[in-house]
């Protein structure tokens, strides 16, 4: 089988990475944000078409106020810095999740990044921001006009991921074996890879090993 067209990643372990080094959790988040660029460029290089990253969940608001504030500042900085990287590497920027809760500054930055990368066609990087699969499905259900006759295809058009193909491969770093409300509909037939590596240390070569396993897997989608 060929490389997976769509890889989704739960980037877990920033806090533990920092704590293990006697540093503040914020240092781990910064390092985690830096690692996104490394993995992104690698995915682009090996011809992955879609990468979707869980950057901030609907549940992450429950973290201490200072950590949430730091993550918002980091997101702002990240968006400002990454624009050139996206354009230079022909990467289109997209989001999933309910953006209405973010500050005007962040919402504007997101829009600008989307507008300025709209012409890029090498790969799409989707950031999940204030995203939760249950929230996404409830928002979709509220839009259904004819509930009795709705088909899977029609329902998919109401999800935040309507522009994206299904997820082929889901990766979670950081050692936990759960999917934490991420893309529950879209991973129906994804191959799932858990690894103990903490996100700031997750490397292109580790991803390559997972991709290699993926290419050797026969996907039957419930058939034979
Ligand atoms: C958690 O590690 C990961 C997140 C809160 C989401 C991913 C965030 C980043 C990679 C950094 C910021 C990203 C952007 C785009 C600005 P954790 O805190 O749950 O780690 P732990 O399990 O070790 O505590």
């Amino acid at each position: 089988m060929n490389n997976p067209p769509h890889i989704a990643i739960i980037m877990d372990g920033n806090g533990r990475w920092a704590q293990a080094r006697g540093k503040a959790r914020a240092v781990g988040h910064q390092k985690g944000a830096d690692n996104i660029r490394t993995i992104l460029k690698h995915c682009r290089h090996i011809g992955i078409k879609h990468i979707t990253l869980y950057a901030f969940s609907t549940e992450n608001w429950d973290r201490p106020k200072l950590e949430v504030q730091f993550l918002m500042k980091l997101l702002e900085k990240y968006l400002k810095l990454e624009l050139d990287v996206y354009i230079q590497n022909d990467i289109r920027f997209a989001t999933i999740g309910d953006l209405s809760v973010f500050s005007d500054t962040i919402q504007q930055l997101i829009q600008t990044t989307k507008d300025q990368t709209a012409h890029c066609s090498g790969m799409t990087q989707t950031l999940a921001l204030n995203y939760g699969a249950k929230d996404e499905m409830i928002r979709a259900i509220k839009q259904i006009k004819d509930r009795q006759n709705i088909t899977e295809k029609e329902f998919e058009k109401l999800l935040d991921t309507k522009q994206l193909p299904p997820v082929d491969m889901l990766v979670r770093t950081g050692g936990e074996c759960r999917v934490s409300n991420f893309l529950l509909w879209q991973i129906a037939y994804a191959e799932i890879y858990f690894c103990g590596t903490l996100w700031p240390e997750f490397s292109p070569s580790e991803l390559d090993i997972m991709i290699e396993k993926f290419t050797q897997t026969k996907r039957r989608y419930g058939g034979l």
Side-chain angles (χ1 to χ4, degrees), residues 19 25-26 29 56 59-72:
Q19 279 160 345
R25 291 175 57 81
H29 290 313
F56 196 86
E59 288 74 30
N60 284 155
W61 298 106
D62 296 334
R63 294 190 172 205
K65 204 171 154 207
L66 274 180
E67 182 162 340
V68 171
Q69 273 172 2
F70 180 83
L71 284 166
M72 290 304 123

Side-chain angles (χ1 to χ4, degrees), residues 24-181:
R25 291 175 57 81
V27 178
H29 290 313
Q30 175 65 62
K31 197 74 182 145
D34 295 342
N35 200 34
I36 294 179
R37 183 184 301 159
T38 307
I39 296 297
L40 195 67
K41 281 187 174 174
H42 179 67
C43 285
R44 170 76 182 99
H45 180 68
I46 59 173
I48 304 298
K49 293 308 285 180
H50 291 273
I51 177 158
T52 300
L53 303 169
Y54 210 2
F56 196 86
S57 75
T58 43
E59 288 74 30
N60 284 155
W61 298 106
D62 296 334
R63 294 190 172 205
K65 204 171 154 207
L66 274 180
E67 182 162 340
V68 171
Q69 273 172 2
F70 180 83
L71 284 166
M72 290 304 123
K73 275 281 155 223
L74 188 59
L75 176 61
E76 212 177 301
K77 193 168 110 185
Y78 173 87
L79 289 167
K80 284 181 188 154
L81 282 174
E82 293 313 291
L83 181 58
D84 283 347
V85 176
Y86 292 142
I87 293 173
Q88 278 161 18
N89 292 279
D90 197 24
I91 298 169
R92 190 170 73 85
F93 173 76
T95 62
I96 52 172
D98 176 6
L99 301 180
S100 66
V101 294
F102 290 105
S103 68
D104 289 349
T105 312
I106 289 182
Q107 289 193 45
Q108 275 160 22
L109 268 169
I110 289 173
Q111 197 50 54
T112 308
T113 312
K114 283 180 181 172
D115 292 345
Q116 298 206 14
T117 62
H119 64 284
C120 298
S121 60
M123 180 171 90
T124 298
Q125 184 221 32
T126 302
L127 272 193
L129 293 170
N130 187 32
Y131 175 85
K134 289 183 179 180
D135 178 66
E136 173 189 41
M137 285 194 247
I138 291 291
R139 285 188 281 108
I141 288 164
K142 287 178 180 165
Q143 297 174 57
I144 299 175
K145 295 197 180 73
D146 178 7
R147 222 177 43 200
Q148 295 308 317
N149 295 307
I150 189 156
T151 63
E152 289 184 10
K153 284 272 161 275
E154 284 161 354
F155 185 65
E156 278 166 359
K157 286 193 195 122
L158 302 175
L159 294 173
D160 295 351
T161 49
K162 52 185 164 290
Q163 314 270 19
L164 300 176
V167 175
D168 301 292
M169 191 175 149
L170 173 70
V171 175
R172 182 178 185 137
T173 65
E176 312 286 1
C177 298
R178 51 177 175 254
V179 292
S180 299
N181 201 14

